[in-house]
Amino acid sequence: ITLHTDTRRVFVSGEEVTLKNKEYELLCFLMSNADIVFSRETLYERIWGYDSEAEINVVWAYISYLRRKLEAVGANVRITARRGQGYLLEEIA
């Protein structure tokens, strides 16, 4: 995965993946902290912020959107859920 932070564009194996703003922010955060588990609450605070009017379940929804988009282009990473702990981005072997 290649992130172009100046234009907020994402490429997987040269193919552009269109992401919404929060999807992009979530992916950037997870990529910057690969192999670290983050609780849903932590992801919510980091991406949506304390003042957000969104429900905390929005984290699950955006994780799901990102998973589908990354799988569709054959990305070599996946977002894994650790039961009772949270989510992490890990490389697929």
Side-chain angles (χ1 to χ4, degrees):
I1 297 177
T2 304
L3 299 176
H4 291 249
T5 55
D6 54 334
T7 59
R8 298 178 67 87
R9 295 170 71 191
V10 177
F11 295 86
V12 175
S13 300
E15 182 178 343
E16 186 168 6
V17 179
T18 303
L19 299 180
K20 294 179 181 176
N21 186 43
K22 293 298 183 188
E23 291 171 336
Y24 176 84
E25 291 178 22
L26 182 58
L27 180 61
C28 285
F29 179 78
L30 290 171
M31 285 184 65
S32 297
N33 298 284
D35 297 320
I36 300 173
V37 178
F38 290 96
S39 70
R40 185 173 58 166
E41 293 79 10
T42 299
L43 292 172
Y44 180 81
E45 291 169 8
R46 296 283 179 97
I47 307 303
W48 283 267
Y50 292 109
D51 298 334
S52 176
E53 293 182 19
E55 297 289 326
I56 197 160
N57 288 336
V58 74
V59 174
W60 176 86
Y62 275 77
I63 292 285
S64 179
Y65 303 151
L66 262 179
R67 281 178 173 156
R68 275 188 261 142
K69 290 180 179 185
L70 294 175
E71 287 173 8
V73 294
N76 65 340
V77 296
R78 69 174 160 229
I79 301 171
T80 303
R82 294 275 173 92
R83 190 175 180 146
Q85 297 176 21
Y87 300 96
L88 75 148
L89 184 80
E90 58 186 1
E91 191 171 338
I92 299 172

